[in-house]
Amino acid sequence: MRFQRCRELFGDDFNKIANAKVIILGVGGVGSYVLDCLYRSGVQNITIVDFDRFDITNQNRQIGSEFVCELKTKVFKKLYPTITIIDKKMDTKWVDGFDFEKYDLVIDCVDTTPVKIALAKKCYKKLIMSVGSAKRYDATKVEVATIWKTHGDALARKIRNELKKARFNKNFTVVFSPEEDRCKGSGSFVGVTGVFGLTICSEAIKKILLLPL
């Protein structure tokens, strides 16, 4: 049986996992690992949103990146047939107009700061956010905290500051690393980006297990 070992681990709570509705925004170096982990863990209802195509420079860190020049959403639909795909470039207008109510969890793996802030304001109760995973190589530094307890990460600091300006004080979960930048530019290491994705998946499963039957 495909999910036999998951059922052995989670017992009757596996039904919560199987029935959970999750949306992943951005399926790059972090998001692709979130998708793979949730899919292999038995989540049956996953929606992904992305607009990008795979580039050869993605091959150091992204699942599916051997399909250079193909749309990420279309590739993932082939690899994970039961998912729902939305091929869309996300902006704040899209966030404001999209209906997130039907999802149990919203997983933010996008790179655009205004989009992340809009998601926080709209979906904080069900949000798990990834911040800076590039320029690092020590996977043991990855942490989980509320946005207000993040530290050592420039993107998280910017988000905190913008939310304070907007008088927003709600909590939501963030996966981050306080490791100092190890390079300039956009250097990245799958040992960290993958751990970000798997950590988000673990946090998602824990939250799903708390959902009512």
Side-chain angles (χ1 to χ4, degrees):
M1 183 181 296
R2 179 179 174 186
F3 296 114
Q4 177 182 345
R5 297 193 181 194
C6 292
R7 291 180 181 277
E8 289 179 9
L9 177 61
F10 297 111
D12 291 340
D13 280 343
F14 179 76
N15 292 328
K16 293 183 180 182
I17 295 171
N19 294 323
K21 297 177 177 64
V22 181
I23 186 169
I24 305 170
L25 308 176
V27 282
V30 174
S32 61
Y33 279 86
V34 179
L35 170 59
D36 188 75
C37 181
L38 289 175
Y39 190 87
R40 293 180 187 278
S41 300
V43 180
Q44 301 293 300
N45 193 326
I46 303 173
T47 298
I48 63 170
V49 187
D50 206 306
F51 75 100
D52 205 3
R53 294 178 182 269
F54 284 113
D55 184 83
I56 195 169
T57 61
N58 301 148
Q59 291 185 334
N60 75 314
R61 70 196 183 283
Q62 294 188 21
I63 294 174
S65 53
E66 62 270 24
F67 297 96
V68 175
C69 295
E70 293 192 38
L71 285 168
K72 292 179 181 179
T73 51
K74 299 294 178 62
V75 168
F76 287 129
K77 183 64 175 177
K78 295 175 186 175
L79 297 176
Y80 311 100
T82 63
I83 68 172
T84 299
I85 63 173
I86 300 175
D87 185 32
K88 179 71 175 179
K89 185 172 183 177
M90 291 163 280
D91 56 20
T92 56
K93 183 178 180 181
W94 179 85
V95 172
D96 290 342
F98 189 79
D99 182 12
F100 292 97
E101 285 300 314
K102 63 183 176 181
Y103 300 102
D104 298 306
L105 289 176
V106 177
I107 297 178
D108 165 26
C109 300
V110 302
D111 297 325
T112 309
T113 303
V115 172
K116 300 181 88 67
I117 292 169
L119 284 166
K121 291 177 179 177
K122 186 170 184 178
C123 306
Y124 68 91
K125 290 182 179 180
K126 56 179 72 174
L127 181 65
I128 303 176
M129 178 184 290
S130 170
V131 290
S133 61
K135 306 179 185 180
R136 296 160 169 84
Y137 55 69
D138 187 350
T140 67
K141 300 290 187 182
V142 177
E143 296 184 34
V144 181
T146 71
I147 183 61
W148 308 112
K149 293 189 177 181
T150 55
H151 57 95
D153 180 89
L155 178 55
R157 181 170 62 251
K158 184 174 183 179
I159 292 169
R160 288 197 310 271
N161 289 339
E162 292 299 318
L163 291 175
K164 286 177 183 177
K165 289 179 185 177
R167 299 182 181 274
F168 177 93
N169 61 1
K170 305 298 184 180
N171 282 318
F172 57 90
T173 300
V174 178
V175 175
F176 71 101
S177 171
E179 183 183 1
E180 65 182 33
D181 290 355
R182 301 295 184 174
C183 70
K184 296 181 179 180
S186 54
S188 59
F189 169 51
V190 70
V192 170
T193 58
V195 167
F196 262 68
L198 296 177
T199 301
I200 290 170
C201 178
S202 176
E203 289 300 306
I205 294 296
K206 288 191 286 184
K207 289 179 182 294
I208 289 168
L209 293 177
L210 294 174
L211 294 172
L213 288 171

